[in-house]
Amino acid sequence: MSAALAVVRPGECHVWTARAVSVRSAAAPALLKLLDAGERARYEAFLRDDPRALYLTAHALLRELVSAELDRDPAELAFTAVCRHCTSGGHGKPRLPDSPLHLSLSHSGDRVAVALTYTGPVGVDVEQLTRPGEAPLMVLSAEERAAYDLLPEGERTRGFTRYWTRKEAVLKATGDGLSVDPALLTVSAPDAPAALLGWAEREQPHPPVRLYDVPVSGDCLVSVAVLGDDCRVVMHEVAYDGDGVLRRPRRTGA
């Protein structure tokens, strides 16, 4: 594990992204050792290599980052993941019951993202640039759809993906996930600063939502939402080497 992993200070939200490690690479066994028994069972349940790689990388990275932050053994961290809308476990936002650290993870394409903060509940979403069909456009509110239809043809893929990352980040932060119709949320236009503008049928859904777009390289977009006070977002792009060791991060402010 890299000794250069940053400490999350009060008033900050740190977001790390990494490309998925192939399950057939020499690095995979080292990452698999970081997972607990339940995570390894879910990893084995995937039938294809690509989702396995995303799951393995996201959960190993989360454990390494939280381990560095809290100075604990990554393999001994006891995460819980309980959905707020049902009583079953094994899915929902991950959390550490004995720590004030808030966390979130996401993956799409070949990229994973992890967010950590002490400010309040957090949701991060990474999405590969995707051109929508008519069905996905149903996640847009009427105001968003009107703005989307005005975008030049060449900007629509990025525009839709930006709408989606912002909505997903908010719904992850509140813990609602996709049990809530994303079309009920209205976020700012893709070329405007990130903001939650409205939430139909819910006057006071949560503490103030702070929504941020996070700079990242490649053909993906990242957004993060934090409930509570405004905070500074710090972005890190990291990678695992052939031995499963996390390389020194590249850090940028958002």
Side-chain angles (χ1 to χ4, degrees):
M1 181 168 56
S2 171
L5 293 177
V7 173
V8 181
R9 296 179 176 84
E12 292 181 340
C13 174
H14 286 235
V15 178
W16 288 262
T17 64
R19 294 193 183 276
V21 174
S22 169
V23 297
R24 300 183 184 277
S25 71
L31 302 191
L32 195 57
K33 289 180 181 178
L34 299 174
L35 306 190
D36 65 19
E39 290 168 330
R40 286 194 293 273
R42 287 188 286 277
Y43 166 84
E44 295 292 346
F46 289 106
L47 300 179
R48 296 187 297 110
D49 283 355
D50 287 350
R52 271 188 173 187
L54 286 169
Y55 184 90
L56 172 63
T57 309
H59 287 261
L61 180 60
L62 175 66
R63 285 182 171 274
E64 291 216 64
L65 294 173
V66 174
S67 167
E69 178 66 25
L70 302 179
D71 192 24
R72 299 187 193 176
D73 184 330
E76 294 180 359
L77 294 169
F79 294 108
T80 61
V82 179
C83 176
R84 64 177 289 185
H85 298 287
C86 67
T87 57
S88 62
H91 67 282
K93 285 184 66 175
R95 59 185 296 266
L96 276 173
D98 59 346
S99 171
L101 187 65
H102 296 275
L103 43 108
S104 179
L105 57 80
S106 176
H107 47 72
S108 176
D110 68 345
R111 195 74 64 94
V112 305
V114 173
L116 302 180
T117 185
Y118 292 101
T119 299
V122 62
V124 68
D125 190 55
V126 57
E127 295 291 339
Q128 192 167 33
L129 290 171
T130 303
R131 181 175 180 83
E134 279 301 312
L137 286 175
M138 293 177 64
V139 305
L140 302 182
S141 68
E143 181 179 340
E144 292 166 341
R145 180 60 191 266
Y148 172 84
D149 287 342
L150 294 176
L151 291 174
E153 187 69 24
E155 297 178 17
R156 290 190 173 185
T157 295
R158 179 171 288 272
F160 174 79
T161 306
R162 179 56 77 198
Y163 274 130
W164 185 248
T165 62
R166 291 174 178 176
K167 287 170 176 273
E168 273 264 42
V170 171
L171 291 172
K172 286 184 175 184
T174 62
D176 289 287
L178 293 181
S179 65
V180 168
D181 181 357
L184 295 176
L185 281 66
T186 297
V187 298
S188 49
D191 59 350
L196 175 64
L197 303 180
W199 189 321
E201 303 177 3
R202 192 180 288 192
E203 293 182 5
Q204 299 290 335
H206 29 60
V209 174
R210 314 295 182 175
L211 187 57
Y212 310 89
D213 295 331
V214 185
V216 63
S217 63
D219 60 345
C220 66
L221 298 177
V222 176
S223 295
V224 64
V226 181
L227 307 189
D229 295 334
D230 196 12
C231 60
R232 175 174 175 260
V233 177
V234 181
M235 178 69 185
H236 310 270
E237 293 192 54
V238 298
Y240 285 100
D241 66 17
D243 296 320
V245 176
L246 205 56
R247 296 177 189 164
R248 189 179 183 89
R250 182 169 72 84
R251 171 175 172 155
T252 59

